[in-house]
Amino acid sequence: MLRSIPGIGGIVACGILCELGDLRRFRSLKHLSGYVGLAPGVYQSGSNYRTLGITPRAHRLIQSYFVEAAWQAIRADPVMQAYYRKHHGKNVKSIIIKVARKLLSRTLAVIKTQTPYVIGVLE
């Protein structure tokens, strides 16, 4: 079922399932993205608050799987392509992290609902 998501092929799907196990153990997308490393890092001290990009504590292999799959998803899925173009003009690396997080949310939804992904349908 994971292979129905654009950008996720056989090797990436196998890697996701082998490295993460059962994705239903994560309570929410926030917990899963924190584990994978696609959540924003935050520095907070008193009244100072800064976002630092993605968190340094991460599962690097899975993080790289989703970033590479995001590049393929932009080419194959018109919804992802529109999302990428909406943010066009900003830092390309930060945009691809946003797309990878969106791809991670789709992966979690496919696993939890046990229904294959349909290309081009808005969430």
Side-chain angles (χ1 to χ4, degrees):
M1 260 194 252
L2 286 179
R3 293 184 61 194
S4 66
I5 302 170
I8 297 182
I11 295 173
V12 174
C14 182
I16 290 169
L17 293 177
C18 290
E19 292 291 327
L20 294 179
D22 188 14
L23 292 176
R24 291 175 290 190
R25 68 186 167 112
F26 295 100
R27 292 184 298 236
S28 66
L29 174 64
K30 186 176 180 179
H31 289 111
L32 178 59
S33 62
Y35 182 79
V36 171
L38 294 175
V42 175
Y43 171 77
Q44 186 174 2
S45 176
S47 63
N48 296 336
Y49 182 83
R50 283 190 314 215
T51 56
L52 304 172
I54 57 176
T55 181
R57 292 179 300 252
H59 197 294
R60 296 282 181 207
L61 182 64
I62 298 298
Q63 185 181 29
S64 67
Y65 280 167
F66 276 102
V67 170
E68 292 301 320
W71 284 110
Q72 296 300 320
I74 290 170
R75 293 181 187 98
D77 190 359
V79 175
M80 289 289 220
Q81 194 174 55
Y83 185 74
Y84 180 79
R85 287 186 178 159
K86 182 176 82 171
H87 296 291
H88 191 68
K90 297 179 183 174
N91 184 5
V92 175
K93 291 181 181 179
S94 65
I95 297 171
I96 206 65
I97 295 298
K98 288 182 180 188
V99 174
R101 185 178 164 117
K102 195 171 195 68
L103 193 65
L104 181 67
S105 73
R106 290 181 178 187
T107 303
L108 185 63
V110 164
I111 292 293
K112 283 194 173 185
T113 62
Q114 293 293 316
T115 56
Y117 179 74
V118 179
I119 295 176
V121 177
L122 291 174
E123 294 178 347

